[in-house]
Every structure is written in structure tokens, then in C-alpha cells.
């Protein structure tokens, strides 16, 4: 039997919720793969199943009404049904997540240094002083000028851009093998968004960390991803390299997404998305 060198291999993943009204089938046989160090985008409209996919990878869907099938193979081991104590060892260590709304990602009642402490502790042992120094060094490396002040701050005392750098630094401090980045559907400030992408690129390349980036913005996909999966209503409707997808989209939903692509402005930054996908067209081809 040959060992797979894939970092992550999701096979025939199904997810449903038992609701009062009946069963809600959310993921229908999703399969996707990431190599070590690979940058992959997962795109799809709101409610298509992107965030629940990341939650399953992190072991965060354990309610009684959840039914899941298939396999999530991480480092050659099926993690779909790991215990919470085993997931705790993986989360923040082998796999990190960034919710790209920094305000939502940081705990409002704790100083930044205390949030670094949790991550630095990581189930092991570290003194508060050593954690502070480690965090300080990491923040300095990402060009944060006054790291001591940042560490002594509460999240609300930081600008959005600075909070974003802190969140990314925190997610990367244990050099995870996989980073999940879940971008909100609401438009971020494009400059902040681009700086966040640049920082993510810089840090993940330094550690050969694979990234699964969830975004609605095809401009971001074009800038960032090597491979793309398109998800529509719990089904992967298209996958390919970025060039295949942009030059030769096969599925009508992908075409519609590409038609909604932001035009590039002179400075290379994507502009705000002015043309939403043609949902009538999508409906016509998917039902
Ligand atoms: N805990 C839950 N119980 C029941 N249904 C859920 C639960 N979590 C998610 N869902 C449903 O699963 C579907 C997929 O949700 P998910 O959050 O993954 O969407 P998404 O693709 O991330 O959308 P968005 O782009 O808006 O973030 C939605 O229909 C959602 O209502
Ligand atoms: Mg989501």
C-alpha cells in the first residue's frame, strides 16, 4: 500500500442536520485534496457549505443532531470522528483557522498577550514571560512597530488592519501544516484585504503551510490560489487549476461567478464587486 503524500484528502464527505422540520442535507459527497504547501480556494455562494466544511476539518460539529459520513484524511489518518481531546491537540497546532473578520476572531475581553498565551501554551507548558517574548518576536517579524503596546492592548484598541495582522500571526505561530482562512461575505476594505493576503502568503510560504481559502471574491482567487474548487449547494461542481478555471470554466455556475469578477484597478487591487452572479442562469442549469 502506498502512502499518500497529500496533506488533506476529503473523500465523499456528507453532512446533514436533523431539524424539527426534517433532515437538512448540507454536504453531498464532497471530495477535495490539498498537497503540502498548496494554496487552494473554495468558492461558492452563501449557504453552499464552505464554513461547515472547515468546521468538520477542525472537529467543531459534534451536536447530537449532526450526521456525517465519508473521510477526512489528514496526514494519512482519518480525523472525521476523532475525540475532542484528540482534536484539541491538532487545533492551533497542526491546523489553524483565521476568521478574516479580526474583530470577531479576537476575544474582546482579553488582552492580546493573553490570547497569544493560550495559543503558545497549546496544551503544553510555557511561562507567561516566555509567551510574551515569543509573541513579541513574532509581531516584530511581521513589521509591527510597537509589539509591546499591541500585546498590552485589548482588541478594540487596535485598528482593523493591525488586528488582522495580529490574528494571522497568532494563527501561524505554531507553524501549522494547514491554515483554513474563512473570509466573510461582507466586503472588507480592499487595502486591508490585500495586506492580509500578502501577509498570509509570506508566512505560509516560509513554513510550507497549505492554505484552504474560502472567499466570495474571484479577484482574491486570481491573486492567491493555485487550485480552485467551486461548491454549489453542498456539491463540488467544478475543480481545476486557477488557469483552467479562469480560461475554460466548465460549469455554468463557475461562468456566472467569473462574470461577477471585480475589474482590476490600476494598482492591481480588485475593486468592489459590482456585478453579482446571474442567479437565474445558475438556477436554470442546476435544477
Ligand atoms: N448548526 C447548524 N444547524 C443546522 N444547519 C446548519 C448549521 N450550520 C450550518 N447550517 C446550514 O448549512 C448550510 C451551509 O452553511 P455554511 O455556514 O457552511 O455556509 P457558507 O457556504 O459558509 O455560507 P457563507 O458564504 O454565507 O458563509 C446552510 O444552509 C446553513 O444554514
Ligand atoms: Mg461561511
Amino acid at each position: 500500500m502506498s502512502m499518500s503524500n497529500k496533506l488533506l484528502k476529503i473523500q465523499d464527505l456528507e453532512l446533514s442536520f436533523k431539524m424539527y422540520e426534517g433532515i437538512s442535507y448540507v454536504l453531498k459527497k464532497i471530495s477535495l485534496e490539498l498537497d503540502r504547501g498548496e494554496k487552494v480556494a473554495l468558492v461558492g455562494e452563501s449557504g453552499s457549505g464552505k464554513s461547515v466544511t472547515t468546521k468538520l476539518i477542525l472537529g467543531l460539529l459534534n451536536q447530537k443532531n449532526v450526521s456525517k459520513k465519508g473521510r477526512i484524511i489528514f496526514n494519512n489518518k482519518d480525523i472525521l470522528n476523532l475525540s475532542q481531546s484528540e482534536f484539541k491537540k491538532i487545533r492551533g497546532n497542526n491546523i489553524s483557522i483565521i476568521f478574516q473578520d479580526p474583530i470577531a476572531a479576537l476575544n474582546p475581553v482579553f488582552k492580546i498577550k493573553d490570547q497569544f498565551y493560550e495559543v503558545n501554551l497549546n496544551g503544553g507548558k510555557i511561562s507567561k514571560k516566555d509567551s510574551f517574548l515569543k509573541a513579541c518576536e513574532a509581531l516584530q517579524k511581521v513589521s509591527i512597530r510597537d509589539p509591546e503596546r499591541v500585546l498590552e492592548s485589548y482588541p478594540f484598541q487596535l485598528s482593523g488592519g493591525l488586528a488582522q495582522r495580529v490574528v494571522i500571526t497568532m494563527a501561524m505561530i505554531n507553524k501549522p501544516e494547514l491554515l483554513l482562512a474563512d473570509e466573510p461575505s461582507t466586503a472588507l476594505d480592499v487595502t486591508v484585504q490585500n495586506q492580509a493576503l500578502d501577509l498570509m502568503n509570506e508566512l505560509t510560504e516560509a513554513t510550507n503551510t497549505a492554505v484552504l481559502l474560502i472567499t466570495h471574491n474571484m479577484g482574491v482567487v486570481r491573486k492567491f490560489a493555485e487550485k480552485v474548487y467551486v461548491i454549489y449547494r453542498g456539491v463540488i461542481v467544478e475543480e481545476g487549476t486557477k488557469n483552467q478555471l479562469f480560461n475554460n470554466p466548465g460549469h455554468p455556475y463557475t461562468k456566472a461567478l467569473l462574470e461577477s469578477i471585480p475589474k482590476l484597478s490600476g494598482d492591481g487591487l480588485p475593486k468592489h464587486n459590482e456585478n453579482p452572479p446571474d442567479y437565474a442562469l445558475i438556477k436554470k442549469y442546476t435544477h
Side-chain angles (χ1 to χ4, degrees):
M1 200 183 81
S2 72
M3 293 281 273
S4 160
N5 60 5
K6 295 280 171 197
L7 178 66
L8 180 77
K9 222 170 163 174
I10 297 182
Q11 293 176 326
D12 299 329
L13 185 63
E14 294 178 42
L15 171 71
S16 61
F17 295 97
K18 200 183 267 175
M19 311 290 280
Y20 180 74
E21 311 81 37
I23 297 175
S24 161
Y25 296 92
V26 169
L27 295 180
K28 299 151 198 157
K29 290 201 190 280
I30 295 279
S31 295
L32 62 87
E33 296 186 347
L34 273 90
D35 284 330
R36 292 187 179 278
E38 193 175 31
K39 293 183 169 57
V40 174
L42 178 61
V43 299
E45 67 173 350
S46 188
S48 55
K50 303 180 300 294
S51 292
V52 292
T53 301
T54 65
K55 284 179 185 162
L56 287 172
I57 296 170
L58 287 166
L60 296 174
L61 283 178
N62 305 293
Q63 307 96 291
K64 278 214 174 105
N65 69 332
V66 170
S67 158
K68 45 200 177 184
K69 282 186 210 157
R71 306 208 284 171
I72 298 181
I73 302 188
F74 180 70
N75 276 330
N76 298 310
K77 185 176 168 190
D78 191 350
I79 61 169
L80 181 62
N81 292 305
L82 280 191
S83 68
Q84 277 311 294
S85 62
E86 284 178 296
F87 262 120
K88 266 198 184 142
K89 290 181 207 154
I90 293 181
R91 276 198 294 262
N93 188 20
N94 305 88
I95 307 177
S96 281
I97 186 157
I98 305 175
F99 298 104
Q100 295 194 312
D101 175 358
I103 304 308
L106 293 165
N107 189 327
V109 301
F110 290 107
K111 286 187 173 178
I112 301 299
K113 66 175 179 185
D114 298 321
Q115 308 198 37
F116 265 105
Y117 180 65
E118 282 305 309
V119 185
N120 284 335
L121 196 58
N122 192 27
K125 268 190 199 160
I126 190 169
S127 70
K128 293 217 162 167
K129 189 170 163 229
D130 286 347
S131 166
F132 191 93
L133 291 174
K134 189 178 175 188
C136 216
E137 195 181 315
L139 292 176
Q140 237 152 10
K141 269 195 194 147
V142 301
S143 313
I144 289 178
R145 250 172 286 149
D146 196 356
E148 284 96 350
R149 186 189 61 84
V150 170
L151 288 168
E152 293 293 352
S153 302
Y154 288 96
F156 72 88
Q157 293 173 306
L158 307 179
S159 70
L162 187 51
Q164 186 64 272
R165 293 184 90 70
V166 167
V167 165
I168 296 170
T169 306
M170 213 181 273
M172 288 300 297
I173 202 159
N174 292 324
K175 303 182 170 59
E177 291 153 284
L178 174 61
L179 179 69
L180 308 171
D182 198 345
E183 201 174 77
S185 43
T186 50
L188 279 179
D189 177 317
V190 272
T191 310
V192 171
Q193 191 179 28
N194 271 279
Q195 285 167 349
L197 277 178
D198 288 343
L199 181 61
M200 230 163 65
N201 259 334
E202 186 189 316
L203 294 183
T204 55
E205 265 160 32
T207 49
N208 198 35
T209 298
V211 184
L212 182 62
L213 175 75
I214 289 173
T215 180
H216 292 251
N217 185 331
M218 293 303 270
V220 169
V221 173
R222 184 160 56 189
K223 184 177 156 109
F224 182 82
E226 295 157 350
K227 194 166 81 187
V228 188
Y229 290 90
V230 181
I231 184 171
Y232 182 76
R233 298 200 172 181
V235 179
I236 301 287
V237 293
E238 180 143 12
E239 64 178 275
T241 64
K242 174 170 61 180
N243 289 340
Q244 281 166 356
L245 196 113
F246 277 84
N247 298 334
N248 194 16
H251 195 276
Y253 179 60
T254 313
K255 287 179 189 158
L257 268 178
L258 289 172
E259 274 158 24
S260 73
I261 195 164
K263 307 213 171 30
L264 287 184
S265 57
D267 54 10
L269 299 176
K271 277 192 188 155
H272 190 71
N273 191 346
E274 286 144 4
N275 310 306
D278 181 348
Y279 289 109
L281 176 77
I282 295 163
K283 268 219 168 88
K284 189 174 149 197
Y285 285 96
T286 48
H287 293 278

